[in-house]
Amino acid sequence: MVSAGINFGSSRRTGVDLAEELLELKRERNAIILAHNYQVPELQDVADFVGDSLGLSYQAAKTDADVILFCGVHFMAETAKIINPTKRVILPDLDAGCSLSESCPPEKLAEFLRKHADKNYYVIAYINCGAGVKALADVICTSGNADKIVRAAPADRNILFVPDQNLGAWVMERTGRKMDLWQGTCYVHVEFTARSINKIRERYPGAPVVAHPECTYAVRMLADEVCSTEKMVTFCKESPAREIIVVTEAGLLHRLSKEIPAKTFIPGPTDNCFCGECRFMKMNTLEKAYDALWNMEPEINLSESVRKRAEIPILRMLELSK
Ligand code: 13P
Ligand code: SF4
């Protein structure tokens, strides 16, 4: 457990357990703490809810707290703000971005859509994008509901899927629906390779491989199951295997070991010394979370016109994936 140290611009009390202090402050602020499965263990352990992007969106949509302390990356906190304009949404570190989100700036997408106006695209945006991109989309999806959302798309429209080419290709394989794909990638998931997966399989021949759809085609082909982080938890619970190779960001292993202590989870390896951690997700710490809730900043704020337009495809997704 982390203890509070010197006090820099916050009310942290020396010698008091910081996790307990955060929980006390949370009650005073009538706040809820939402944490993504990739957050550091200390944050997962104090959260009211830990889950994938879809689960977190539903939690954000139904909360009656006044404040949402969002322990995740920027687009996740922004999504919570889009559907909760009257609540205050706080993110421990404003620099917690995402390589997928960065790959698709709204101006670039707007220009692409203008240039290809003849295609009359139906835009499906993976939730890993900024509010400006969501505002240009027809519907949002997450890795947990992507095939459902694609199957529900109008049959007579061309689909543009942004920004993750790997998730998009995986959904095409599953649904048979042709789509044009934005060429973004997650810098963490593309580090797993067929070679690194084959190597770990030799060491654990009986262990099934579960991989995230942001992985490349070669890795997905070697996996026994490809799914969102929440579905990975279900897969690991239901699998009769005692050892499972988990090919996603390493933070999920904390939740897996906590909820399924009798099994062993082997982190997906890469060919180099890359640790399988998302540097953006790991920017949030217990200290920053406490200070952010104390100072009520960094706070997510959006222009009302963008927020209103971005809310439409998010609500469409929440309705379609009920
Ligand atoms: P999930 O929605 O499956 O948790 O994925 C989010 C993410 O950022 C994957 O890299
Ligand atoms: Fe973005 Fe990849 Fe980090 Fe997920 S793991 S937040 S997709 S950079």
Side-chain angles (χ1 to χ4, degrees), residues 36 38 52-53 76 126 128 143 189 212 214 228-229 281:
H36 187 264
Y38 297 161
D52 68 354
S53 312
M76 294 177 173
Y126 183 32
N128 295 39
S143 56
H189 286 88
H212 197 275
E214 290 171 11
S228 71
T229 56
M281 285 281 182

Side-chain angles (χ1 to χ4, degrees), residues 112-295:
F112 182 91
L113 292 172
R114 261 195 310 275
K115 218 166 141 189
H116 300 279
D118 56 313
K119 291 258 194 176
N120 186 27
Y121 276 124
Y122 183 79
V123 180
I124 302 182
Y126 183 32
I127 197 162
N128 295 39
C129 64
V133 168
K134 288 186 174 80
L136 293 167
D138 291 289
V139 67
I140 305 302
C141 75
T142 73
S143 56
N145 62 15
D147 58 358
K148 207 172 187 180
I149 299 295
V150 170
R151 283 179 212 280
D156 58 346
R157 297 279 298 277
N158 294 308
I159 300 177
L160 175 67
F161 188 92
V162 302
D164 188 15
Q165 57 180 289
N166 287 307
L167 178 73
W170 174 69
V171 189
M172 286 213 288
E173 290 153 25
R174 286 170 70 95
T175 61
R177 185 78 197 258
K178 194 188 161 316
M179 305 191 290
D180 290 332
L181 308 178
W182 195 264
Q183 295 300 294
T185 56
C186 161
Y187 90 100
V188 179
H189 286 88
V190 295
E191 286 289 335
F192 303 113
T193 66
R195 208 169 81 145
S196 68
I197 303 304
N198 279 327
K199 232 165 138 187
I200 197 85
R201 268 212 142 136
E202 277 170 24
R203 275 184 64 195
Y204 301 93
V209 173
V210 60
H212 197 275
E214 290 171 11
C215 292
T216 62
Y217 177 74
V219 168
R220 296 198 307 272
M221 281 295 102
L222 292 172
D224 296 278
E225 182 69 19
V226 178
C227 55
S228 71
T229 56
E230 195 58 40
K231 289 181 183 169
M232 284 181 173
V233 177
T234 308
F235 174 86
C236 291
K237 281 182 180 161
E238 289 174 356
S239 169
R242 312 308 295 168
E243 292 179 325
I244 301 170
I245 300 165
V246 182
V247 187
T248 194
E249 208 272 356
L252 182 66
L253 269 75
H254 174 69
R255 182 167 163 209
L256 289 172
S257 306
K258 202 169 153 182
E259 292 188 16
I260 321 168
K263 295 185 185 177
T264 304
F265 301 102
I266 302 128
T270 60
D271 287 325
N272 49 38
C273 58
F274 181 76
C275 60
E277 286 193 345
C278 171
R279 69 172 182 275
F280 302 112
M281 285 281 182
K282 278 7 189 206
M283 282 179 178
N284 296 327
T285 61
L286 190 58
E287 288 79 3
K288 285 184 196 172
Y290 179 86
D291 288 350
L293 192 57
W294 173 258
N295 295 315

Side-chain angles (χ1 to χ4, degrees), residues 5-20:
I6 305 165
N7 182 349
F8 290 113
S10 82
S11 75
R12 283 194 238 153
R13 287 167 292 166
T14 307
V16 178
D17 181 88
L18 189 52
E20 274 168 29

Side-chain angles (χ1 to χ4, degrees), residues 68-81:
I68 299 173
L69 175 62
F70 208 114
C71 301
V73 289
H74 191 275
F75 74 81
M76 294 177 173
E78 205 177 49
T79 304
K81 181 66 184 181

